[in-house]
Amino acid sequence: VVREALREYRIEERNEEFRYIGQAMGLFLIAEKGERLLIIDQHAAHERILFDELSSAEHEAQPLLIPLSFDVEENQTEAVMGRAKALKRAGVGIERRGDTSFELTTLPSGLSLRGEDIIQLLSDQGGTEDEVLKTLYADVACKKAIKDGETLDRRTGEDLVRRTLALPFPRCPHG
């Protein structure tokens, strides 16, 4: 029965570089490419696609109606200022209001970010400007990506496999 179904699909198949077989356990996309069987983590693949899109896009700063005030420890102020500089490239606006007081004034439009998440990112220790942006984009991509257990229709599964195979680094940005 399975071979008959595959034979029928093969007849309908367009000239693709892979053959999409389906989804398994609500976690994996199964495809065939040449002599290889591909098992793709649907969440990790979608997360990487979103991460690459976020990393390469311009993000317009959207002013907050009410700036979000926060304080940090005195030994964190310079690190917060360094991270704020990096986050400005992503549309996040931070202004210093005192020795250890800051305000979150803008967030990138089109991204689902909570001010509390930005403040946590600012408070974390370490990281270059690029690492701070990578963490931000990886977190946003993870939250927006298809979740484990989510059922995908055939067209969505095929598109996700196609886009994954086109990636230069088809790995989750978290590792």
Side-chain angles (χ1 to χ4, degrees), residues 60-152:
E60 185 177 328
Q62 179 178 346
L64 298 176
L65 289 174
I66 301 170
L68 187 57
S69 298
F70 64 98
D71 293 308
V72 297
E73 299 294 324
E74 194 171 323
N75 63 346
Q76 291 181 308
T77 56
E78 291 307 313
V80 167
M81 291 304 296
R83 289 187 199 102
K85 181 181 173 191
L87 291 173
K88 186 174 184 173
R89 294 180 5 209
V92 175
I94 308 291
E95 293 183 16
R96 194 169 189 169
R97 295 294 183 212
D99 290 340
T100 59
S101 298
F102 296 86
E103 280 186 348
L104 179 62
T105 58
T106 65
L107 288 175
S109 64
L111 297 185
S112 301
L113 287 173
R114 297 174 346 141
E116 294 80 8
D117 294 335
I118 296 295
I119 291 169
Q120 180 62 45
L121 180 62
L122 287 165
S123 300
D124 289 342
Q125 295 295 320
T128 65
E129 285 187 26
D130 287 339
E131 290 169 340
V132 170
L133 285 175
K134 180 183 180 218
T135 299
L136 173 70
Y137 294 143
D139 289 349
V140 171
C142 185
K143 290 175 184 167
K144 290 178 80 171
I146 294 167
K147 303 297 179 236
D148 289 346
E150 194 171 328
T151 302
L152 305 180

Side-chain angles (χ1 to χ4, degrees), residues 29 40-41 45-46 49 159-170:
L29 302 175
I40 300 169
D41 179 317
H46 193 221
I49 291 165
D159 184 55
L160 193 51
V161 170
R162 183 177 300 102
R163 292 172 72 190
T164 301
L165 293 176
L167 290 169
F169 303 104

Side-chain angles (χ1 to χ4, degrees), residues 24-56:
M25 302 183 311
L27 300 171
F28 303 104
L29 302 175
I30 311 297
E32 184 180 87
K33 184 174 180 178
E35 295 294 317
R36 298 182 314 170
L37 178 67
L38 305 174
I39 301 172
I40 300 169
D41 179 317
Q42 68 186 27
H43 174 76
H46 193 221
E47 183 177 336
R48 184 58 194 220
I49 291 165
L50 294 173
F51 173 81
D52 287 355
E53 289 172 358
L54 290 168
S55 298
S56 63

